[in-house]
């Protein structure tokens, strides 16, 4: 199979791509209509006590988030995962790449569990190791690889993070992408023009950070299309670029559009537009505030009563913010309902199934990164965790 034909992996990696792994649970997956599910989750959690640590990303459903010991954005959860060394089981209510990072950052004897293995991320699947290695070879051929630092967004598989670890690169999240880029450019002080970054898989986070936080121009950015020969770029374009952005995007945040912002502002000139940096550049340019999910929450918590907001991020979070802040007017930035379908895979039946299995002494859906990948990915993750600056702290 050529890399051009690599399929997306909405159902996770493995040999059984034809089946919905995580849905075909061994044992009984409780029915979604079972009225005792909440009580069953509570009882199982109580039975596991300190042996269990449940992490929940802000995009998780309410029915799941109520059982999280800690909630957070990708950065906070990566940091918090290692914060309970006594917990035998870490149940990760989020998506696959987050559970992999938790496995890398926790002790070998701790077991990380993803309640539904089909909870992947379409953006993470847009950069595959073979494609990234191909791009790197092209940079070598163009004579620029020695000036390039690879930076991968947290939303990538462990083998991509390992690639960055092996090649002097770093991981970033939406809350520290500026610190990561600053670090990356500082690694190449003698490179002509100040060095380059190969940023994947989210072109929008890369572009928004480079242009709005690092003072680069749109002309400094080129887009590497992994489905085109040589990324669709000439050697000259690669030599001139400062930011080589991978052609990847988030299917949820890619939906928000600048014309909806215009419409909302026409109706309510006092409305504030708050968006995630995975949104397209034109949306981010029109927004009032931009930041990670943790930033979005803190901004709303600090908002004056009576103020009105339109928020461009995943709908579970926007709905929760709207429910928790009845004194504010909060609307969703898209015209249509749009959840992250893979985040939504983690539902109460899967959580109950995972917890009750643990109570019965059966570890299901364990996420285990192989030791070589783990070693190299940890280098890139730890570089991220030690980045200087305030922007990635709470
Ligand atoms: P953060 O958690 O960094 O805000 O990222 C959002 C996201 O898309 C996670 O998949
Ligand atoms: Fe991936 Fe986007 Fe879903 Fe986050 S919101 S998990 S980036 S598809």
């Amino acid at each position: 199979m050529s890399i051009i034909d690599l399929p997306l992996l909405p159902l996770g990696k493995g040999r059984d791509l034809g089946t919905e792994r995580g849905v075909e649970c061994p044992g009984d997956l409780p029915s979604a209509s079972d009225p005792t599910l909440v009580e069953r989750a509570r009882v199982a959690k109580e039975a596991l006590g300190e042996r269990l640590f449940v992490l929940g990303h802000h995009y998780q459903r309410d029915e799941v988030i109520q059982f999280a010991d800690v909630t957070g954005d990708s950065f906070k959860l990566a940091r918090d995962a290692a914060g309970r060394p006594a917990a035998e089981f870490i149940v990760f209510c989020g998506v696959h790449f987050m559970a992999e990072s938790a496995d890398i950052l926790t002790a070998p004897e701790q077991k990380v569990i993803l309640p539904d293995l089909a909870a992947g991320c379409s953006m993470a699947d847009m950069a595959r190791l073979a494609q990234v290695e191909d791009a790197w070879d092209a940079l070598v051929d163009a004579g620029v690889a020695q000036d390039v630092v690879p930076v991968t967004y947290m939303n990538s598989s462990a083998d991509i993070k390992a690639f960055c670890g092996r090649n002097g690169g770093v991981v970033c999240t939406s809350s520290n992408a500026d610190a990561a880029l600053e670090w990356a450019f500082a690694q190449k002080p003698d490179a002509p023009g100040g060095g380059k970054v190969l940023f994947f898989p989210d072109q929008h986070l890369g572009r928004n950070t480079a242009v709005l936080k690092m003072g680069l121009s749109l002309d400094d950015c080129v887009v590497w299309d992994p489905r085109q020969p040589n990324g669709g770029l000439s050697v000259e374009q690669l030599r001139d670029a400062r930011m080589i952005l991978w052609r990847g995007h988030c299917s949820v945040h890619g939906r928000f559009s600048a014309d909806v912002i215009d419409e909302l502002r026409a109706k309510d000139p006092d409305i504030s537009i708050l968006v995630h940096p995975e949104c397209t550049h034109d949306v981010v340019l029109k927004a009032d505030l931009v930041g990670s999910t943790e930033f979005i929450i803190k901004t709303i918590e600090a908002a004056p009563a009576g103020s009105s907001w339109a928020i461009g991020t995943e709908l579970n979070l926007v709905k929760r913010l709207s429910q928790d802040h009845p004194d504010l007017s909060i609307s969703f930035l898209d015209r249509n309902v749009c959840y992250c379908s893979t985040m939504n895979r983690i539902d109460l039946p899967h959580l109950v199934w995972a917890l009750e299995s643990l109570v019965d002494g059966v570890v299901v859906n364990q996420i285990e990164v192989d030791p070589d990948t783990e070693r190299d990915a940890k280098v890139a993750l730890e570089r991220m965790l030690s980045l200087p600056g305030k922007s990635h702290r709470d």
Side-chain angles (χ1 to χ4, degrees):
M1 186 190 301
S2 93
I3 59 166
I4 303 290
D5 301 325
L6 283 173
L8 292 178
L9 297 175
L11 303 178
K13 280 187 196 173
R15 267 165 286 161
D16 56 347
L17 286 179
T19 63
E20 290 209 348
R21 296 185 306 134
V23 174
E24 280 189 39
C25 302
D28 289 329
L29 185 70
S31 137
S33 59
D34 181 342
T36 67
L37 280 180
V38 171
E39 182 58 7
R40 282 172 67 174
R42 194 194 63 73
V43 168
K45 198 166 177 235
E46 198 173 288
L48 291 161
E50 293 297 302
R51 297 170 69 204
L52 172 72
F53 186 35
V54 182
L55 296 162
H57 188 270
H58 293 309
Y59 293 162
Q60 290 290 293
R61 298 162 178 264
D62 287 350
E63 68 191 44
V64 165
I65 215 85
Q66 64 179 317
F67 292 105
D69 295 307
V70 169
T71 59
D73 65 4
S74 306
F75 178 79
K76 185 166 177 283
L77 293 179
R79 203 189 48 193
D80 289 351
R84 271 299 169 88
E88 207 178 321
F89 309 119
I90 293 160
V91 171
F92 209 114
C93 300
V95 288
H96 193 270
F97 67 81
M98 298 179 180
E100 280 188 329
S101 297
D103 182 50
I104 293 164
L105 292 168
T106 49
E109 63 278 8
Q110 292 183 286
K111 295 179 171 58
V112 176
I113 289 133
L114 183 65
D116 185 343
L117 291 180
C121 166
S122 54
M123 178 206 281
D125 292 342
M126 288 175 193
R128 308 282 291 279
L129 182 61
Q131 296 173 318
V132 169
E133 283 173 339
D134 230 42
W136 195 255
D137 288 347
L139 298 178
V140 171
D141 292 347
V144 299
Q146 70 284 353
D147 302 330
V148 180
V149 175
V151 178
T152 189
Y153 191 21
M154 180 65 106
N155 303 24
S156 57
S157 57
D159 56 8
I160 301 274
K161 293 183 176 83
F163 173 90
C164 288
R166 282 195 297 279
N167 289 284
V170 67
V171 177
C172 73
T173 72
S174 60
S175 61
N176 61 17
D178 51 348
L181 286 190
E182 214 165 290
W183 177 90
F185 284 121
Q187 303 311 300
K188 302 288 177 189
D190 302 326
K196 304 175 193 300
V197 163
L198 172 62
F199 190 96
F200 34 80
D202 186 11
Q203 61 168 303
H204 302 302
L205 177 65
R207 185 180 294 108
N208 290 330
T209 310
V211 174
L212 301 173
K213 299 271 184 80
M214 308 300 296
L216 297 182
S217 73
L218 286 174
D219 290 341
D220 291 321
C221 305
V222 291
V223 176
W224 177 277
D225 183 347
R227 287 166 184 270
Q228 299 290 328
N230 211 46
L233 296 169
S234 66
V235 168
E236 200 179 29
Q237 284 174 305
L238 288 173
R239 286 194 187 138
D240 290 346
R242 300 289 312 283
M243 284 294 287
I244 303 165
L245 303 166
W246 196 263
R247 189 168 176 186
H249 67 276
C250 167
S251 45
V252 177
H253 292 91
R255 295 181 57 85
F256 300 114
S257 63
D259 62 305
V260 175
I261 299 182
D262 293 340
E263 235 171 66
L264 289 168
R265 288 203 197 280
K267 274 193 222 143
D268 177 1
D270 294 329
I271 198 166
S272 297
I273 311 291
L274 174 56
V275 301
H276 195 279
E278 287 174 16
C279 294
T280 58
H281 193 58
D282 56 338
V283 166
V284 165
L285 281 178
K286 287 210 166 185
D288 298 294
L289 292 161
V290 185
S292 77
T293 52
E294 199 69 23
F295 173 86
I296 289 172
I297 292 169
K298 291 203 164 121
T299 302
I300 291 299
E301 282 169 351
S307 52
S308 61
W309 297 82
I311 305 181
T313 196
E314 208 271 346
L315 187 53
N316 278 309
L317 174 56
V318 179
K319 273 172 58 184
R320 197 174 303 128
L321 285 171
S322 168
Q323 278 153 20
D324 292 350
H325 298 275
D327 57 328
L328 306 177
S329 159
I330 294 179
S331 52
F332 188 52
L333 192 53
D334 196 24
R335 288 189 191 97
N336 303 307
V337 169
C338 187
Y339 293 98
C340 171
S341 59
T342 49
M343 281 278 179
N344 263 4
R345 298 295 302 221
I346 312 292
D347 56 9
L348 203 45
H350 283 86
L351 181 62
V352 167
W353 170 71
L355 295 181
E356 289 182 346
S357 301
L358 292 176
V359 173
D360 292 342
V362 181
V363 178
V364 292
N365 289 5
Q366 185 179 351
I367 302 299
E368 273 183 294
V369 176
D370 73 81
D372 288 346
T373 305
E374 173 159 332
R375 183 197 58 229
D376 293 344
K378 198 168 184 172
V379 171
L381 277 164
E382 287 185 340
R383 280 185 189 131
M384 174 188 83
L385 292 169
S386 59
L387 283 172
K390 266 188 99 217
S391 59
H392 62 295
R393 300 283 172 220
D394 287 353

